Amino acid sequence: MSDQKITVQRTVDASAKDLFEVLTNPKRHTELDGSGFVRSDERSNRIQGVGDVFTMNMEGDHMGGEYQTDNHVTAYAENTMVGWQTAPAGTDPKGWEWLWELDAQGPDSTLVSLTYDWSKVTDKELLQQVSFPLVSKGQLEDSLGNLAAAVSS
């Protein structure tokens, strides 16, 4: 863990393909969220590649209650990686990113890495308003556990 990035890992008893299916379906993201911020997707389509944008309905005190985010896909490699930068709906990304990486350990076992990186946030006003990290290492680890549960259901 650096001072601007947190990475957690867990081996999940599932294929990288099955995990990727869950991760690229925004409708399933409420099942994954260990932070408690994600409420639902806003009629989003499955993530198909870099450049896609999906919108999530969120809630958190740091934003004064309910809000939406647009998530701009920045990384996509089938069955291996998916990532996005988050921004308040209707705005450009501000520099924080979520990256899921899948390393198949066999047909039914995958090492999953989840990185929350805010090192590209350069807006000084935003850095004063938002106390990064908004999501703790424990909450990220909960997201890995939630992914393991979601893929088995």
Side-chain angles (χ1 to χ4, degrees), residues 100-116:
W100 295 84
E101 296 174 279
L102 308 173
D103 182 10
Q105 304 293 296
D108 294 314
S109 181
T110 306
L111 177 62
V112 181
S113 299
L114 171 56
T115 300
Y116 170 42

Side-chain angles (χ1 to χ4, degrees), residues 1-6 33-38 58-65 67 69 71 86-88 94-98 115-119 121 126-140 142-143:
M1 181 167 83
S2 79
D3 62 342
Q4 295 182 304
K5 179 190 311 189
I6 303 170
D33 177 38
S35 71
F37 296 144
V38 178
M58 312 284 285
E59 186 173 355
D61 292 340
H62 64 285
M63 292 291 286
Y67 62 101
T69 59
N71 300 279
T86 300
K94 307 297 184 219
W96 62 93
E97 185 170 36
W98 305 92
T115 300
Y116 170 42
D117 182 349
W118 61 98
S119 64
V121 177
L126 178 64
L127 288 167
Q128 289 176 342
Q129 290 174 343
V130 178
S131 179
F132 286 100
L134 284 173
V135 179
S136 71
K137 182 177 182 181
Q139 290 170 318
L140 293 171
D142 289 347
S143 292

